[in-house]
Amino acid sequence: MRIYVLYGFGIALSIAGIAYLATEYVRYLTEPLRLLSLLLTTAMFAFFGKYFQEKGW
């Protein structure tokens, strides 16, 4: 049980780090590139959602 808590903590920290780096990167993008980035991120999460729904998670 403890190992799953550590895995969850590690995943949460990884997501927080990626989110921080993404916000720093987006700060230097122009408006059209920000829109493209938002669309690509939305599509990525949609595909992940469909994948996990098919897996039954």
Side-chain angles (χ1 to χ4, degrees):
M1 179 66 182
R2 281 186 260 170
I3 194 75
Y4 294 120
V5 172
L6 291 176
Y7 282 145
F9 190 65
I11 290 170
L13 286 178
S14 296
I15 291 171
I18 290 170
Y20 172 75
L21 291 175
T23 56
E24 289 296 315
Y25 176 72
V26 167
R27 184 178 299 174
Y28 298 105
L29 293 178
T30 61
E31 286 296 322
L33 287 177
R34 285 183 186 181
L35 179 61
L36 179 63
S37 175
L38 178 63
L39 291 174
L40 287 174
T41 304
T42 304
M44 179 184 69
F45 281 118
F47 286 127
F48 275 142
K50 185 180 285 187
Y51 171 76
F52 287 125
Q53 185 177 16
E54 289 174 359
K55 293 278 274 185
W57 288 357

